[in-house]
Amino acid sequence: MFRARSPWVYFINTGSCNGCDIEVLAIQNPRYSAERYGVLRVGSPRHADVLVVTGPITKRMEDRLTMIYDQIPNPKAVVAVGSCPTSNGIFDGGYSLTGPLDTVIPVDVYVMGCPPRPLNILSGIRTAAKMLDSKRKGRGARPTARFDEAMSKETVIDPKFRSSDNVPEAGR
Amino acid sequence: MIASIIVALVYAFVAALLLQGIRRIVVAHSQFRKGPSIFQTFYDFFKLMGKESLTPNVTSPLLFNLAPILSVASMLFAALVIPLAASTSAVGAGDLILVIYLLAIPPIALILGGSASGSPYGAIGAAREVALLIAYETPFIVAMVTVALAAGSFQLTTISATAWITVLPLAAIAAIWTLPAAAAVQPFDIAEAETEIVSGPYVEYSGPNLALLQLGQWLKTFLYASLIATVFFGTTIYHFEPVINLIIQFAIIALLVSAFIAFWQATTARTRVTRVLRYYWTIPTMLAVADLILYLAGVRYMHFLFGWAGL
Amino acid sequence: MAEVNDRGFAKLKVPIGPSHPALEEPARFLFEVEGEKVIDVDYEIGYNHRSIERLCQERPFSKIVYLVERICGICSHAHPLNHVERVEDIADIEVPERAKYIRTIYAELERIHSHMLWAGIAGEEIGYHSLFMYTWREREKVMDLFEMLSGNRVMHGCNKIGGVKWNISDEQARSALGVLSYLDTAADKITKSVLKDSSIAERGKGVGCLSKEDAIRLGAVGPNARASGVAEDTRVMCKYAAYGDFDLEPQIAKDGDVVAQALVRLAELKQSIRLTEELIANLPDGPIQVEYGEIPPGRSVGRVEAPRGELIHYTETNGTRFFERIKIRAPTLANIPSYVPKFLGCQVADIPIIAASIDPCFSCSDRVTVIKDGKRKIVSAQELKTGRI
Ligand code: SF4
């Protein structure tokens, strides 16, 4: 019951056009005032409960995304904001994209729109927060890279490499 | 005895968390928005306690996991030493010195934890925390020593028999001035500056460890404010029923926190680490030292100014 | 972990990004710091590359306007505006006056919202949340205005080849004027707080300086260049859309530091508010779009002043339903080299605000750098066309 009331959000942009980003940022402003629901934007994935992803997944961001997903302690939930992570949106067919978010990491809530309105994003985050309680407290084999290590690694793109195969089973 | 210890600990815990809720609400309202619930810190704390705790490949796992416990344990001990309205001091003579030392432990735990994480963000955060600690402890200690000399004792129960703000107002101003830095909120959140170094020493902590580390910081804010309240406003006002005493003391502390910490937080940008020393080693230190010298020289200016009012 | 130099300072490598609270978008900076001082910086972009230019060649004309609109959500008008102007240039389509004015109104409103957004983000970067909260509260008014005019907050979908889609009614124009006069006072308040507040001066004065020579040498554009005293504004030079009918002065500042950047943007904010009021007052009557026929083969290149600076589109058609080539040079790409003189010698605490000072928009500007097995590889045009990388 505490989880639903204090979702801390880590926000990652995986190649979005900024339209969704500014709407995600806008939920903090006085009109939408996300803090009244305890929604807080945190700077380190270790502190987060909810991962908010905007943008189609570009090849170079894909492994960063899975790394960050792994760094979030259980229980965790993922919110896909916008048409882009949901279905690649307008960029579908681009050579530098690895496809919708749910082929990379498990997604719990989809917020549709291009971009969705801030209130929809806020309600998506709250829906995800309510799901946290029912999540299994799994403890998979997880990489233990530090945040800075994950960030300073060179990206290696191998066409055969799909890190979605390596995703530890998340509490779904 | 045991009952009073438990009461003191529970009071400190609840009050420390409520204080953060009040601070967040005050800040939110000064930014034209509706703040979180006053119990938000409780939700955050218990949520973090229920999360998984990860230890990444840090340089020193032992130190890394020890730091949060150290931080909270020292603060719980300090809660017993400071005469809160609910209890009297558990230690006798010289407890002021003990408290001042204990209050420095949460930052030191943060420094240890930050360096033990092996992350460059943690390292920079730890270095900044050191600078901050040195900066605000100086005027604070000078102010406290001035009071102790004036009271002729380092024992808190003796000191708090007088409301020292009426005798040594300059020292009181200096001590209150250090509140925002001790609370590590803006403009002095340099050690965890989110946009600069992610969250500094906290960056690798998760779940219960993070909760404890933050609890240490929250308890410290509360105890720091309550030490200032005890020393400068005295305990003579608490002669009612225990519950009412508690409420009065909490009200004074909450007022201090919302007036000085939240207000500063809402109206300033984060400072730079190089400026922190200048913030604290100029005016606040000078005020405290001036009061010390004036006192030693035997100048009772408050008496001189307000003597007719019978102070 | 860290080497220690002869002065006893540890040298640390601090990665900022690709995902970092100071950067709204993925880009990676690798700083080498000594104590609190930055001694070296390396940057890497390309995390955001979405293969838009190639998608532009694969889809028919009618869909490209939507696609270029989604290059950047903040300049969601500047990109399609430039795009449709290029196509109109190739096909010699005469756009009605009213459509030109409406396009300009959107472009100026976009500048207002973008500069307010920047002021808020800059406040956030120096840890001044109240500034963020205040500017973003006022910015909501602009978003409401957009929603009233086009039905959408971010993606306005206003441009089409041969005109605009949404007309502006008298009633809308009246309420827009009301909002603009409100924004005018808000802009004054923000300017006052930037000028007066001592903590902003402490964090911004002399931080991230870019000299005029450096700005010219490194090809800086937009407010970034104007803050260093380069009086260049594409709106004044190219007189596209309806800008020819109005007198505009490029807003410049001398110092090139963060405060100068802020002042230039705030002056432009005021200028844009006044310009929009004039535009709405002088809105000509007439149709808002014209029919157009076949689009002949041809090529065109043109510049538009996006909120972040000069935006160049090159468009080539080949007489079919598809474009032969679209090439986009976003302002941020031109501004990125000016990071180097700004960052060198700065403090760690200044990194976020300097990074924000050029108002970066990596989603506009990302290129392909493919790294295979840790080695960088430049992709040839042929490979790009066939998509085999
Ligand atoms: S969903 Fe639309 S607004 Fe959001 S990132 Fe994708 S294109 Fe941009």
Side-chain angles (χ1 to χ4, degrees):
Chain A
M1 81 158 252
F2 298 115
R3 291 188 185 124
R5 283 169 174 274
S6 108
W8 288 5
V9 177
Y10 187 82
F11 156 55
I12 181 171
N13 171 335
T14 52
S16 114
C17 79
N18 265 340
C20 285
D21 298 9
I22 57 176
E23 298 293 70
V24 169
L25 274 186
I27 66 170
Q28 297 177 33
N29 78 14
R31 181 181 292 181
Y32 304 109
S33 185
E35 206 189 354
R36 70 198 146 124
Y37 298 122
V39 177
L40 216 58
R41 186 178 166 204
V42 294
S44 162
R46 298 260 184 237
H47 307 174
D49 307 299
V50 177
L51 179 66
V52 169
V53 185
T54 60
I57 318 301
T58 60
K59 275 191 183 150
R60 294 196 65 190
M61 281 307 282
E62 186 192 357
D63 59 343
R64 305 301 158 115
L65 178 65
T66 48
M67 270 183 213
I68 283 184
Y69 180 78
D70 290 344
Q71 289 192 344
I72 299 178
N74 278 327
K76 56 191 163 191
V78 178
V79 181
V81 169
S83 319
C84 280
T86 312
S87 63
N88 277 352
I90 196 151
F91 306 112
D92 196 21
Y95 58 81
S96 61
L97 307 179
T98 55
L101 180 61
D102 44 15
T103 62
V104 183
I105 54 176
V107 182
D108 298 289
V109 179
Y110 298 90
V111 183
M112 295 301 289
C114 181
R117 300 172 59 88
L119 277 183
N120 297 357
I121 299 175
L122 190 52
S123 91
I125 291 172
R126 295 193 67 209
T127 313
K130 285 184 190 131
M131 293 163 80
L132 284 172
D133 263 335
S134 60
K135 291 230 163 193
R136 191 154 46 84
K137 254 179 108 180
R139 197 186 262 272
R142 53 181 62 250
T144 51
R146 292 196 314 262
F147 182 60
D148 59 298
E149 289 173 343
M151 287 297 112
S152 50
K153 202 178 136 275
E154 286 267 297
T155 329
V156 179
I157 299 175
D158 181 351
K160 291 190 286 305
F161 172 72
R162 297 285 293 181
S163 49
S164 50
D165 304 340
N166 308 342
V167 177
E169 210 217 329
R172 259 202 132 176
Chain B
M1 180 65 192
I2 295 197
S4 82
I5 288 180
I6 290 176
V7 167
L9 293 185
V10 171
Y11 168 60
F13 175 78
V14 173
L17 266 59
L18 274 185
L19 210 56
Q20 296 299 320
I22 292 175
R23 177 182 64 81
R24 281 171 73 172
I25 288 178
V26 172
V27 172
H29 277 275
S30 61
Q31 291 171 343
F32 326 103
R33 61 197 166 87
K34 194 171 177 302
S37 132
I38 193 168
F39 301 112
Q40 187 59 47
T41 334
F42 290 91
Y43 305 148
D44 291 351
F45 179 78
F46 289 115
K47 174 206 75 182
L48 284 175
M49 287 310 268
K51 278 189 81 107
E52 171 188 29
S53 180
L54 304 172
T55 307
N57 57 349
V58 296
T59 321
S60 162
L62 180 69
L63 218 56
F64 181 81
N65 289 319
L66 207 62
I69 299 168
L70 182 67
S71 170
V72 171
S74 69
M75 281 304 98
L76 291 181
F77 185 32
L80 297 180
V81 178
I82 298 178
L84 299 168
S87 66
T88 49
S89 179
V91 189
D95 50 4
L96 178 61
I97 298 176
L98 180 63
V99 170
I100 291 177
Y101 269 108
L102 283 176
L103 282 174
I105 290 183
I108 291 175
L110 214 53
I111 294 166
L112 284 180
S115 335
S117 71
S119 149
Y121 308 118
I124 295 177
R128 290 177 170 197
E129 186 72 47
V130 174
L132 189 63
L133 188 64
I134 296 172
Y136 76 78
E137 286 275 284
T138 314
F140 183 69
I141 290 176
V142 174
M144 286 299 162
V145 166
T146 313
V147 172
L149 286 180
S153 159
F154 275 95
Q155 192 169 349
L156 277 170
T157 39
T158 322
I159 293 174
S160 57
T162 318
W164 286 102
I165 191 163
T166 58
V167 182
L168 301 166
L170 297 184
I173 293 172
I176 292 173
W177 201 312
T178 60
L179 260 175
V185 295
Q186 268 160 24
F188 302 107
D189 59 342
I190 50 171
E192 51 195 282
E194 206 154 86
T195 47
E196 295 163 17
I197 47 172
V198 189
S199 34
Y202 295 100
V203 65
E204 295 303 335
Y205 281 103
S206 58
N209 270 346
L210 178 66
L212 289 183
L213 211 53
Q214 289 197 334
L215 177 65
Q217 196 57 251
W218 295 331
L219 276 170
K220 183 193 154 203
T221 308
F222 166 68
L223 291 173
Y224 201 89
S226 67
L227 179 65
I228 289 177
T230 311
V231 168
F232 288 103
F233 299 105
T235 44
T236 43
I237 28 177
Y238 308 132
H239 49 62
F240 304 100
E241 295 286 311
V243 182
I244 301 179
N245 284 345
L246 278 183
I247 294 173
I248 295 176
Q249 192 194 21
F250 185 71
I252 293 178
I253 296 170
L255 213 62
L256 271 177
V257 165
S258 42
F260 292 96
I261 302 185
F263 181 71
W264 270 38
Q265 185 180 6
T267 52
T268 44
R270 181 185 304 124
T271 185
R272 270 189 251 175
V273 64
T274 42
R275 299 280 182 127
V276 173
L277 280 183
R278 206 189 310 162
Y279 260 130
Y280 277 117
W281 283 14
T282 50
I283 300 173
T285 310
M286 257 147 55
L287 284 179
V289 170
D291 226 5
L292 179 65
I293 293 173
L294 283 176
Y295 184 81
L296 291 180
V299 182
R300 304 288 182 268
Y301 55 96
M302 282 310 273
H303 192 259
F304 177 68
L305 284 177
F306 299 105
W308 48 269
L311 276 169
Chain C
M1 167 189 76
E3 343 155 17
V4 177
N5 74 351
D6 43 356
R7 276 176 294 148
F9 279 119
K11 266 194 198 162
L12 288 175
K13 278 207 168 25
V14 183
I16 301 274
S19 183
H20 187 277
L23 299 169
E24 306 309 337
E25 298 166 81
R28 188 155 76 92
F29 296 92
L30 192 58
F31 292 95
E32 203 163 316
V33 302
E34 214 179 77
E36 281 270 326
K37 201 164 164 245
V38 174
I39 53 174
D40 199 8
V41 55
D42 195 6
Y43 60 76
E44 191 186 329
I45 56 171
Y47 290 97
N48 224 331
H49 181 76
R50 281 159 299 163
S51 48
I52 290 178
E53 288 178 359
R54 185 153 175 259
L55 287 176
C56 284
Q57 300 163 2
E58 285 178 350
R59 295 185 183 175
F61 278 162
S62 52
K63 297 199 173 167
I64 302 300
V65 184
Y66 297 96
L67 187 58
V68 289
E69 189 169 22
R70 280 156 182 80
I71 290 173
C72 172
I74 309 179
C75 329
S76 59
H77 185 76
H79 279 285
L81 171 62
N82 203 344
H83 173 73
V84 296
E85 289 216 333
R86 297 289 66 75
V87 180
E88 285 156 6
D89 184 27
I90 292 171
D92 259 334
I93 301 168
E94 192 55 50
V95 183
E97 276 298 297
R98 189 175 175 90
K100 279 187 182 169
Y101 268 64
I102 292 178
R103 279 179 188 177
T104 320
I105 289 172
Y106 275 88
E108 287 308 308
L109 283 178
E110 180 180 275
R111 197 176 321 278
I112 295 171
H113 113 74
S114 172
H115 284 349
M116 287 185 118
L117 177 136
W118 180 84
I121 299 276
E124 181 92 357
E125 306 291 21
I126 57 172
Y128 201 157
H129 296 288
S130 300
L131 184 62
F132 170 84
M133 293 296 172
Y134 181 72
T135 49
W136 280 58
R137 185 179 76 148
E138 306 306 356
R139 184 177 157 273
E140 282 296 316
K141 298 273 189 316
V142 194
M143 304 313 268
D144 286 350
L145 196 52
F146 271 135
E147 197 169 1
M148 178 185 78
L149 294 177
S150 72
N152 211 333
R153 285 164 56 92
V154 176
M155 299 295 171
H156 321 303
C158 143
N159 287 300
K160 77 191 276 285
I161 298 171
V164 292
K165 278 188 227 148
W166 320 120
N167 206 342
I168 295 182
S169 70
D170 287 347
E171 203 181 323
Q172 282 173 332
R174 255 198 312 281
S175 52
L177 284 176
V179 173
L180 286 168
S181 70
Y182 174 84
L183 286 174
D184 202 42
T185 49
D188 282 340
K189 273 191 204 159
I190 299 172
T191 317
K192 211 173 104 202
S193 76
V194 169
L195 283 176
K196 289 261 172 67
D197 197 304
S198 62
S199 59
I200 292 183
E202 178 198 321
R203 293 300 306 271
K205 271 262 182 310
V207 170
C209 281
L210 182 69
S211 66
K212 188 171 177 179
E213 294 73 47
D214 274 348
I216 294 171
R217 186 169 57 86
L218 297 172
V221 295
N224 187 31
R226 289 198 283 276
S228 301
V230 185
E232 282 197 356
D233 191 327
T234 323
R235 289 177 294 172
V236 182
M237 290 187 292
C238 296
K239 305 221 179 289
Y240 58 95
Y243 286 111
D245 302 356
F246 297 91
D247 269 343
L248 280 179
E249 277 287 304
Q251 304 290 332
I252 58 168
K254 276 193 228 67
D255 306 344
D257 58 3
V258 172
V259 171
Q261 300 256 11
L263 292 181
V264 164
R265 290 203 170 87
L266 289 169
E268 279 184 17
L269 178 61
K270 290 277 287 178
Q271 187 191 34
S272 292
I273 292 172
R274 270 196 305 279
L275 181 59
T276 319
E277 280 170 350
E278 269 183 58
L279 279 162
I280 292 179
N282 298 330
L283 204 59
D285 288 330
I288 56 165
Q289 39 180 277
V290 289
E291 294 290 316
Y292 63 96
E294 284 290 295
I295 291 173
R299 52 178 66 173
S300 166
V301 58
R303 304 188 288 174
V304 154
E305 180 80 7
R308 282 155 188 71
E310 179 192 54
L311 166 70
I312 304 177
H313 271 233
Y314 166 79
T315 305
E316 194 178 333
T317 51
N318 53 10
T320 63
R321 288 167 62 233
F322 297 92
F323 283 105
E324 179 67 26
R325 178 86 172 101
I326 285 183
K327 172 81 198 132
I328 297 152
R329 206 294 316 267
T332 303
L333 193 71
N335 276 333
I336 283 177
S338 58
Y339 265 147
V340 177
K342 283 173 174 239
F343 272 133
L344 285 188
C346 80
Q347 301 228 321
V348 173
D350 299 331
I351 291 174
I353 181 67
I354 295 179
S357 75
I358 70 163
D359 203 355
C361 177
F362 296 109
S363 64
C364 295
S365 40
D366 263 357
R367 319 275 114 189
V368 219
T369 24
V370 179
I371 301 179
K372 262 184 192 150
D373 315 326
K375 255 198 249 149
R376 259 160 240 234
K377 182 177 165 230
I378 307 295
V379 184
S380 73
Q382 191 54 43
E383 279 178 309
L384 262 185
K385 275 203 175 142
T386 52
R388 225 177 280 129
I389 45 166

